[in-house]
Amino acid sequence: MRFAVAERDAALAEAAGEVLAKQAGTERIRAGWPGGRAESVDAVWRTLAGVGVIGALIPETAESSDALGLDENALPPLMEALGRCGLPVPAAETVAVGAPLLAAAGAPQLPSVIGGSSLLTVSFTPDAPVPFAARAELIAVADKDQLRLYTRDELETEPVESVDGSRQSARVRVPAGGGLLLAEGPAELAIAHRRGVLATAALLVGLSGRMLELTVAHVRERHQFGVPVGSFQAVKHALADVELAVRFARPAVLAAGWAQAARDPEAAVRTSMAKVLASEAARKAARTAIQCHGAIGYTTEYDLHLYAKRAWALAADWGGPSEHREFIARRLGLAGAAGIVSEGAGT
């Protein structure tokens, strides 16, 4: 079977990429870190909303010109473009999960979210830090078999430090009662969570590609013993391994998107496989990039750390590689697979 990105999906990813290329340089990524001007990041997010990024999966029947009515096949190319840029916004949480659920629930907050004026984040893991909860106006939190939407004023938030400070994570305390019901039941929550896993895997593919680009450019320019560092065999082999990992991860993510859109019975397994491969590719890319850059790769002033820290955070988010491997092992009926996560939590 040959997978190819549909013309409409590719056009959206290209439009998003053009916006990011013009408006989202590394200074915008740094603005998302504590002490930066987060409003400049929000301005780019609103521009992306204007080209239909946030409304990608919202049915065209919704009362908004930014609702595109696409399916999960649109997520891999779009999220890869967003991941490559590294803009600190809740892309997976909003585009893949939150916005479609708001539309399905007929939530009055949908217009402000789809227009990019209200920041929305989502968490399926109780008691865990919620990404972007320190500055999002709307926060959807899963509790038991329900996912409910709250405004910031309805919750108690406690900011926590993260390896990627631009995610502005916080712990949230959900009140008893209240909130708007967005999804209910294990099956419905599993589908929504699966889209988040898919989107995060695609973000990681984009991040991996960007770190590889930065490193290749560096080893071409950096000279040692009178020759480019990139001419050394050890460096060539290390970067080739990263390229190979990315090439294996990208089609797995595309296949997971197809499986979800087609409601394939193996969508859960394909999604977990995509997250494993994308997480490992990103970790390998970050490790190799830092090694090939040498001491400069460890400095916060250098752009590489912005992408590496995002990769480390996202590789563990929405289920890390070991968690998804255990789920796959259980579905394959492999003996000795212990500590398996449930389908609703791991897919």
Side-chain angles (χ1 to χ4, degrees):
M1 181 179 293
R2 177 180 177 269
F3 287 99
V5 177
E7 183 177 349
R8 193 176 181 189
D9 298 339
L12 176 60
E14 183 178 354
E18 290 176 355
V19 169
L20 295 169
K22 293 177 181 178
Q23 300 186 21
T26 52
E27 70 281 357
R28 291 294 175 94
I29 303 176
R30 293 182 185 278
W33 283 70
R37 295 179 62 253
E39 59 269 20
S40 67
V41 177
D42 295 338
V44 181
W45 190 232
R46 288 192 295 271
T47 303
L48 289 169
V51 299
V53 167
I54 299 177
L57 269 59
I58 296 177
E60 291 181 297
T61 53
E63 296 180 2
S64 174
S65 59
D66 296 324
L68 301 185
L70 304 177
D71 60 23
E72 289 87 347
N73 282 305
L75 289 176
L78 175 59
M79 291 296 150
E80 184 173 344
L82 292 170
R84 181 177 293 274
C85 167
L87 188 71
V89 291
E93 291 81 2
T94 301
V95 180
V97 183
L101 290 178
L102 287 178
Q109 298 89 345
L110 179 62
S112 63
V113 170
I114 198 175
S117 59
S118 292
L119 202 64
L120 165 68
T121 189
V122 180
S123 174
F124 284 81
T125 309
D127 302 322
V130 181
F132 300 97
R135 71 183 191 93
E137 293 89 356
L138 300 169
I139 304 172
V141 182
D143 183 22
K144 298 179 180 178
D145 288 336
Q146 293 185 339
L147 182 71
R148 289 186 171 271
L149 179 70
Y150 302 89
T151 63
R152 169 178 294 282
D153 295 338
E154 295 178 280
L155 299 172
E156 294 182 24
T157 60
E158 178 187 356
V160 297
E161 292 186 3
S162 168
V163 64
D164 177 10
S166 70
R167 282 163 60 84
Q168 306 229 0
S169 300
R171 294 187 184 278
V172 300
R173 185 172 299 172
V174 180
L180 175 66
L181 181 64
L182 295 182
E184 186 174 22
E188 192 172 345
L189 288 179
I191 291 173
H193 188 275
R194 202 174 296 148
R195 287 200 302 268
V197 176
L198 169 65
T200 303
L203 288 169
L204 286 164
V205 171
L207 281 165
S208 300
R210 181 58 177 150
M211 288 186 286
L212 183 59
E213 285 178 357
L214 286 172
T215 308
V216 169
H218 175 77
V219 298
R220 282 175 174 169
E221 296 177 1
R222 172 71 172 170
H223 282 64
Q224 194 77 312
F225 305 112
V227 296
V229 172
S231 66
F232 300 147
Q233 191 175 47
V235 174
K236 289 180 179 179
H237 285 184
L239 294 177
D241 286 344
V242 174
E243 174 67 19
L244 189 63
V246 175
R247 289 196 181 193
F248 269 94
R250 183 178 289 113
V253 175
L254 287 170
W258 169 85
Q260 290 191 23
R263 301 297 181 260
D264 185 82
E266 296 301 317
V269 170
R270 289 184 182 274
T271 302
S272 285
M273 289 174 62
K275 184 59 165 63
V276 169
L277 291 172
S279 296
E280 292 190 336
R283 286 175 173 174
K284 181 184 287 290
R287 182 175 63 251
T288 303
I290 291 173
Q291 289 175 337
C292 290
H293 274 81
I296 193 174
Y298 291 89
T299 62
T300 57
E301 294 80 9
Y302 193 65
D303 292 344
L304 176 62
H305 93 283
L306 299 173
Y307 305 101
K309 289 178 178 178
R310 176 68 54 79
W312 292 331
L314 290 182
D317 204 5
W318 295 89
S322 61
E323 184 177 352
H324 284 285
R325 273 201 180 92
E326 289 176 347
F327 170 73
I328 295 169
R330 180 176 181 177
R331 288 294 293 266
L332 293 177
L334 299 180
I340 312 300
V341 296
S342 66
E343 181 170 342
T347 60

